[in-house]
Amino acid sequence: MPRPIDLKTPDAPKAEPDQTQQQRPKSSDAPAAVANGRGTNDTKKLPFHVRLAELYLDHMMEQHGRALNVVPDAEGQDHFWKYENGLWAQIADSDVARWLEPELQLVLNDDLDLKRKSNNKLFAEATRHIIRSPAIRKPLPNFSGWDAHGKIPTKAGLIDPLTLDDIKPIRKEDYCTSRLDIDYDRDAKYPWWERMLADAFADRTSDDRATTIKMLQELSGLSLIANRPKALARALLLIGPPDSGKSGLLNVLSKLLSLSDNPNTTALRDLDKTHGLQAFLRRGVPWVLHEAFEDNIWHLSSEAKMIISGDPIPINPKGARPITIRPYAPAFWASNHQPKFKDSSGAIAKRLLIVKFTARFDKEKPIGAAAEARERNPTWGPEDLILNTERAGVFNWALAGLKRALQRGYLVNTAAGKADLDDIEKTANVVAGFLADCIDYDADVMITSVDFFAAFSKWWSEHHGDEKSRLSPSLVGGHLAALRDPRIVQDKNRFKNRKGLRFYIGIKLNDVGKEFFESCLSEEFGSAKVHAEFARMSLNFAATIREIPGEWLDHADITQLKAAARAKAAAGCRDTIRQPR
């Protein structure tokens, strides 16, 4: 409970409150005591700006439903957070005084009836006192993180995602930073939304269409909660040509969270800029990109992966101190092109779910939901029909998907979606595709890093020759290590000969790899000058396959590699014996 400050003496005259004052709670009946400097011994010794600040801290924040607190971020750095209108928001140091001044003016006007004492110096001194006060540095009670309540904040209150019936009013102690501007109607239906989805995937098999729609339903539902389990944290990527329906679907899913036309549109190429992440301080705002990728443009993946996963990430806003926070930004992307990430680990593919659109719609001859939208309003598209007439119903649809995803604990993808993610993973790691095409595994042999790079360079030129990227042996070796393939042993310090030539153990070039190697060999040694990175390549294909030196065989990694190979061979033999004739 707030600590009361008694600013009046027993014989102080009590002013008659006017009608306005009777309609709101009063922090004290002592405007005269403050004006005349009367009160207790401790109170009347304080400067007026201190008394004003203390009165605000002890009474006004609670009575007016506002608060100011200093809260440490994920790195332990203190930042100001304000509470008003039922929500919490981070506030820059430079904005604290601007926010407090109207609060202090309210105290002077309505609670102390001392409007005449208002001046810039008084507010500046009172503000500085508040900012220095230990009262705003007390730990927040039962605080476990922003939006950690695990429920869906709406105008109706907090909805439990598993019961859907247990709705509780949003309290200050729930530490909500956003609220859905939606009227919850548990009986609301969504027939035209179902028709719009059926139209978009009409060219698919019934099973594939059902799986795709259920996946979209679950991702849409997961966007409603802030702290999504990492196993369920995904960005939705819609890929397809123009007029395929992806933009309409993207608009419905993103505007379900907010009717505002001001989503977070930070481009992927801007994430690594100095202030590129500041838009992610806007809590509960979806990250919407209608043209997320460009042809032959590679994007960094580390920041995108952290944002999608909900990991703490340092944000450097303009004119404010950096803050480390878990962003709450459901990602809805669309593109005409396949994504390309610079990600040697391939982890970004595990944070995406891809839905491809292959149907094409004629705008002059709308069908289904699009035809109904045109009939109702010539300026509407199908998404306008849904958002204007079935928003509450789509919310119910998303709630059902959220409940199903949370109970299952993982997302179910389509076979086509899994294949798309495999392609992205191979593309993100420059070596992954080469291993699949050109390498055989053999625990008894090894290949030099130079021969590996020689074959790889020609393979890359054939598959990605139109891309502007300069690959080096060290970069390729790093990508190979990032795959963490247990069938390949690498140690740049241990596995090298006396001339410094390094080896990859457990692999060799197959017939396809042989062609690429020999192509590089003939091109390099048939020219007037051999490039430095190929100077020590083997002079024929047979020399690329080398035995492992005896002194290396007792290395723990090689011992483990050979043991795994023997176990796999034994298992293969047993399976062969069990095969019926």
Side-chain angles (χ1 to χ4, degrees):
M1 294 293 294
R3 175 173 56 86
I5 295 181
D6 186 5
L7 298 182
K8 67 176 183 176
T9 58
D11 60 345
K14 184 174 182 180
E16 290 295 329
D18 61 21
Q19 186 176 1
T20 303
Q21 290 173 322
Q22 291 176 345
Q23 294 174 352
R24 56 191 301 277
K26 293 181 63 65
S27 61
S28 171
D29 291 325
V34 176
N36 298 323
R38 298 196 306 272
T40 65
N41 290 335
D42 291 338
T43 302
K44 66 183 181 180
K45 293 178 181 179
L46 295 175
F48 183 69
H49 75 271
V50 174
R51 284 181 277 167
L52 176 63
E54 290 294 322
L55 183 62
Y56 173 76
L57 288 170
D58 286 351
H59 294 277
M60 290 301 97
M61 289 196 297
E62 294 299 329
Q63 292 186 6
H64 291 287
R66 296 177 175 85
L68 181 71
N69 284 85
V70 174
V71 184
D73 65 10
E75 297 295 326
Q77 301 299 314
D78 288 341
H79 295 272
F80 289 105
W81 285 77
K82 64 178 180 178
Y83 175 75
E84 61 181 344
N85 300 323
L87 297 176
W88 290 85
Q90 194 261 340
I91 180 171
D93 298 5
S94 58
D95 293 332
V96 172
R98 187 181 301 113
W99 184 75
L100 280 174
E101 286 180 356
E103 306 290 307
L104 295 172
Q105 185 70 61
L106 188 64
V107 177
L108 281 177
N109 293 355
D110 296 348
D111 291 274
L112 299 179
D113 195 21
L114 294 175
K115 186 184 297 186
R116 59 186 174 81
K117 296 185 74 70
S118 175
N119 61 76
N120 292 338
K121 181 181 178 181
L122 172 64
F123 287 159
E125 291 175 340
T127 295
R128 285 196 293 269
H129 182 83
I130 293 171
I131 290 174
R132 292 193 299 265
S133 173
I136 67 172
R137 286 170 168 77
K138 295 178 181 178
L140 296 175
N142 301 317
F143 180 74
S144 58
W146 303 112
D147 301 290
H149 45 73
K151 297 179 174 58
I152 306 160
T154 69
K155 290 192 297 184
L158 291 175
I159 300 176
D160 189 300
L162 294 179
T163 66
L164 301 182
D165 292 325
D166 187 13
I167 303 176
K168 297 180 179 179
I170 298 176
R171 304 168 304 160
K172 177 182 175 183
E173 294 76 19
D174 292 317
Y175 304 113
C176 292
T177 63
S178 66
R179 178 174 52 223
L180 292 174
D181 183 22
I182 193 167
D183 294 313
Y184 179 44
D185 177 3
R186 68 190 66 193
D187 297 322
K189 306 301 181 183
Y190 42 92
W192 286 111
W193 173 239
E194 290 181 311
R195 179 60 189 272
M196 181 176 172
L197 292 170
D199 293 343
F201 306 113
D203 58 341
R204 303 197 178 196
T205 65
S206 58
D207 288 344
D208 188 58
R209 180 167 55 251
T211 302
T212 301
I213 292 175
K214 285 183 178 179
M215 184 176 69
L216 289 171
Q217 184 182 21
E218 292 172 10
L219 275 175
S220 180
L222 288 165
S223 71
L224 302 175
I225 58 175
N227 291 280
R228 294 174 285 278
K230 187 163 289 190
L232 298 173
R234 297 290 188 276
L236 174 64
L237 174 57
L238 311 179
I239 300 180
D243 299 327
S244 59
K246 63 183 189 298
S247 293
L249 187 66
L250 193 70
N251 285 332
V252 172
L253 295 182
S254 61
K255 291 185 178 182
L256 178 65
L257 303 180
S258 173
L259 283 175
S260 170
D261 288 327
N262 190 27
N264 178 357
T265 57
T266 304
L268 289 165
R269 61 178 176 273
D270 294 334
L271 293 180
D272 61 338
K273 294 182 178 179
T274 303
H275 305 296
L277 297 172
Q278 68 177 357
F280 292 93
L281 288 175
R282 297 165 56 206
R283 307 278 290 178
V285 177
W287 185 14
V288 181
L289 301 176
H290 282 269
E291 296 295 338
F293 302 97
E294 301 175 50
D295 195 21
N296 294 331
I297 300 296
W298 291 77
H299 300 276
L300 297 175
S301 66
S302 55
E303 290 86 358
K305 183 174 62 178
M306 293 174 70
I307 293 168
I308 297 168
S309 301
D311 295 328
I313 187 169
I315 298 177
N316 183 21
K318 293 179 181 178
R321 291 182 295 123
I323 179 173
T324 299
I325 196 170
R326 296 179 185 273
Y328 167 24
F332 298 109
W333 303 340
S335 178
N336 296 333
H337 307 286
Q338 283 285 107
K340 293 182 179 179
F341 285 100
K342 294 179 180 178
D343 178 25
S344 60
S345 68
I348 188 63
K350 296 177 175 62
R351 301 265 70 89
L352 299 177
L353 281 178
I354 296 176
V355 176
K356 283 192 173 179
F357 288 70
T358 54
R360 298 292 294 269
F361 296 100
D362 187 345
K363 290 183 178 180
E364 301 301 321
K365 299 178 181 179
I367 62 171
E372 177 68 15
R374 181 79 60 85
E375 179 69 22
R376 298 195 187 191
N377 188 324
T379 65
W380 277 6
E383 68 271 23
D384 300 304
L385 170 66
I386 305 305
L387 291 170
N388 282 286
T389 66
E390 294 186 354
R391 193 162 179 261
V394 177
F395 180 65
N396 289 340
W397 174 82
L399 287 176
L402 172 61
K403 182 177 181 179
R404 186 170 62 242
L406 291 176
Q407 290 176 334
R408 188 195 309 120
Y410 60 91
L411 294 166
V412 178
N413 201 351
T414 63
K418 292 177 182 178
D420 290 333
L421 295 179
D422 288 342
D423 289 342
I424 292 175
E425 189 169 354
K426 290 178 181 179
T427 304
N429 186 299
V430 298
V431 176
F434 175 72
L435 289 182
D437 291 347
C438 302
I439 291 296
D440 283 340
Y441 294 92
D442 188 333
D444 296 321
V445 300
M446 61 184 185
I447 186 173
T448 70
S449 60
V450 177
D451 291 343
F452 184 94
F453 182 72
F456 169 81
S457 64
K458 298 304 293 183
W459 174 89
W460 180 266
S461 178
E462 179 175 299
H463 289 81
H464 305 279
D466 57 337
E467 296 172 3
K468 297 179 180 179
S469 55
R470 177 61 177 162
L471 299 173
S472 66
S474 60
L475 177 65
V476 170
H479 277 247
L480 182 62
L483 289 176
R484 300 186 183 278
D485 192 324
R487 297 166 293 180
I488 304 174
V489 174
Q490 283 179 263
D491 188 330
K492 64 180 181 180
N493 297 317
R494 179 69 174 86
F495 301 123
K496 62 180 180 181
N497 62 17
R498 287 172 293 180
K499 296 181 180 180
L501 196 59
R502 294 183 173 86
F503 295 87
Y504 303 142
I505 297 172
I507 56 175
K508 62 184 179 182
L509 296 173
N510 60 21
D511 290 341
V512 178
K514 174 184 177 182
E515 294 181 8
F516 286 118
F517 173 81
E518 291 178 341
S519 174
C520 181
L521 182 66
S522 62
E523 180 177 311
E524 289 295 322
F525 288 90
S527 63
K529 183 179 179 181
V530 177
H531 290 85
E533 59 261 38
F534 304 122
R536 294 196 293 173
M537 65 186 295
S538 299
L539 297 179
N540 56 69
F541 172 72
T544 65
I545 305 174
R546 307 198 185 194
E547 292 185 359
I548 304 172
E551 60 268 24
W552 292 356
L553 295 177
D554 61 348
H555 190 280
D557 290 343
I558 295 180
T559 301
Q560 184 177 355
L561 176 70
K562 286 183 169 293
R566 289 194 297 270
K568 182 177 180 180
C573 290
R574 288 194 296 270
D575 291 341
T576 301
I577 292 173
R578 292 170 184 164
Q579 290 289 332
R581 294 184 178 181

